[in-house]
């Protein structure tokens, strides 16, 4: 989609994926506990959903908790889970105001029962909205997602529900992201240049944008910078 932003005609990425990194460092700079950074990070995320929608982005997918994040201290994990509880509940009201559909990807089986119930409630309540498609990756790992998907695919082949040969489209359809397009632009904040097991299948042709900005400092101006950067790219998908 094309849109005029700050006087420039821009090609808006349909799907933006974000690795929200740097909450801990942001808090440390303020001599505050790490969870203070996560709390601010959650607030920023609410605003970025609105900003993405304003820019005309149709899909926004964020990495909120990875399969590796359980290795953090009990205090930090408990803090993030409690933050998540509040977030999921408040999200229903925000989504209805902003016409936002919310999905959660990742392995739910390891999450507390009340959190799973809140996720189900949020997904059901927002399934009627057709504005921004907002996806939260929770207890998500790209390799784990492929493992879970392939396990189901093999079951379906064995039971005769699906015929071989296995195609790329078939694998995509067994991933958690089966009903959303692949990302056009990936943003990672806080200066780290890694994928950290995020959407490793889906990011095959995605443009990457890295910024030193810490996630709690991320805002509309930073989001626009990423979209400007995206516009300077020439996506060829392996062609010439
Ligand atoms: C990375 O910063 C952030 C996380 C691992 C958690 C992301 C969580 C949020 C943005 C909170 C909002 C999300 C929800 C829905 C609860 P880091 O802790 O790795 O920062 P550091 O690299 O500076 O230590």
């Amino acid at each position: 989609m094309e849109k005029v932003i700050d006087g420039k005609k821009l090609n808006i990425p349909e799907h933006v994926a974000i690795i929200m990194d740097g909450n801990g460092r942001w808090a440390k700079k303020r001599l505050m506990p790490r969870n203070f950074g996560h709390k601010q990070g959650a607030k920023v995320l609410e605003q970025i959903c609105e900003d993405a929608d304003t820019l005309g982005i149709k899909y926004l997918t964020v990495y909120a908790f990875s399969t590796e994040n359980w290795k953090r201290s009990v205090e930090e994990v408990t803090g993030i889970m409690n933050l998540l509880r509040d977030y999921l509940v408040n999200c229903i009201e925000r989504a209805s105001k902003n016409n936002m559909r919310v999905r959660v990807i990742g392995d739910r089986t390891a999450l507390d029962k009340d959190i799973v119930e809140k996720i189900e409630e949020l997904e059901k309540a927002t399934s009627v909205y057709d504005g921004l498609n907002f996806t939260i990756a929770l207890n998500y790992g790209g390799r784990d997602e492929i493992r879970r998907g392939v396990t189901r695919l093999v079951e379906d082949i064995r039971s005769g529900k699906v015929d071989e040969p296995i195609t790329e489209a078939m694998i995509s359809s067994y991933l958690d992201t089966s009903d959303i397009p692949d990302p056009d632009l990936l943003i990672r904040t806080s200066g780290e240049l890694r994928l950290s097991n995020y959407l490793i299948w889906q990011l095959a042709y995605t443009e990457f944008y890295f910024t030193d900005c810490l996630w709690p400092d991320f805002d509309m101006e930073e989001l626009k910078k990423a979209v400007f950067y995206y516009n300077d790219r020439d996506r060829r998908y392996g062609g010439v």
Side-chain angles (χ1 to χ4, degrees):
M1 188 189 71
E2 285 202 338
K3 195 163 174 166
V4 177
I5 291 170
D6 297 347
K8 294 188 195 88
K9 196 156 132 199
L10 290 179
N11 180 16
I12 303 296
E14 185 187 28
H15 183 177
V16 175
I18 308 184
I19 301 178
M20 310 178 289
D21 199 5
N23 296 344
R25 275 163 285 168
W26 184 88
K28 195 174 174 195
K29 280 211 285 192
R30 287 161 180 76
L31 308 176
M32 294 296 277
R34 295 179 58 80
N35 282 328
F36 181 70
H38 295 318
K39 197 165 174 195
Q40 185 59 28
K43 245 188 242 168
V44 164
L45 179 56
E46 292 186 1
Q47 183 59 45
I48 289 299
C49 282
E50 289 189 25
D51 295 342
D53 192 38
T54 303
L55 289 183
I57 292 164
K58 288 303 294 173
Y59 294 83
L60 180 72
T61 302
V62 301
Y63 209 0
F65 195 84
S66 77
T67 46
E68 286 74 37
N69 285 153
W70 298 106
K71 292 182 210 147
R72 297 188 177 199
S73 73
V74 175
E75 189 191 356
E76 184 171 355
V77 171
T78 309
I80 294 177
M81 288 302 153
N82 284 336
L83 187 61
L84 180 64
R85 286 183 168 90
D86 289 345
Y87 187 89
L88 293 170
V89 172
N90 296 335
C91 198
I92 295 191
E93 201 184 308
R94 261 190 321 113
S96 78
K97 232 191 289 166
N98 299 331
N99 193 29
M100 177 170 87
R101 177 167 183 180
V102 189
R103 296 172 175 86
V104 172
I105 57 171
D107 181 4
R108 294 180 193 186
T109 58
L111 298 173
D112 285 349
K113 193 165 159 266
D114 71 296
I115 292 185
V116 176
E117 284 165 3
K118 287 183 173 70
I119 291 170
E120 286 167 355
E121 205 179 317
L122 176 62
E123 286 185 327
K124 188 159 169 248
T126 65
S127 63
V128 292
Y129 302 131
D130 61 0
L132 181 74
N133 286 278
F134 175 48
T135 302
I136 309 170
L138 265 185
N139 191 30
Y140 175 87
R143 288 186 177 181
D144 182 64
E145 177 193 36
I146 293 169
R147 180 193 64 77
R148 287 184 286 107
V150 168
T151 304
R152 284 193 294 117
L153 175 57
V154 168
E155 276 166 15
D156 286 352
I157 289 173
R158 283 194 183 140
S159 69
K161 226 199 265 176
V162 170
D163 288 328
E164 285 182 277
I166 294 171
T167 62
E168 291 186 10
M170 241 187 233
I171 295 178
S172 293
S173 75
Y174 277 80
L175 298 180
D176 297 348
T177 50
S178 58
D179 58 349
I180 60 181
D182 288 342
D184 302 292
L185 173 67
L186 169 79
I187 299 172
R188 181 167 191 155
T189 58
S190 93
E192 306 293 347
L193 310 181
R194 287 188 295 274
L195 272 188
S196 301
N197 204 10
Y198 190 45
L199 301 173
I200 52 175
W201 174 273
Q202 298 87 339
L203 294 174
Y205 288 102
T206 304
E207 299 292 339
F208 289 4
Y209 175 78
F210 297 102
T211 170
D212 286 337
C213 177
L214 302 175
W215 176 251
D217 291 325
F218 199 82
D219 60 9
M220 177 60 129
E221 286 314 302
E222 296 292 334
L223 183 60
K224 280 187 198 165
K225 279 188 213 165
V227 172
F228 289 140
Y229 169 87
Y230 174 78
N231 272 260
D232 289 337
R233 303 287 101 203
D234 176 17
R235 300 183 80 193
R236 290 190 298 273
Y237 300 94
V240 286

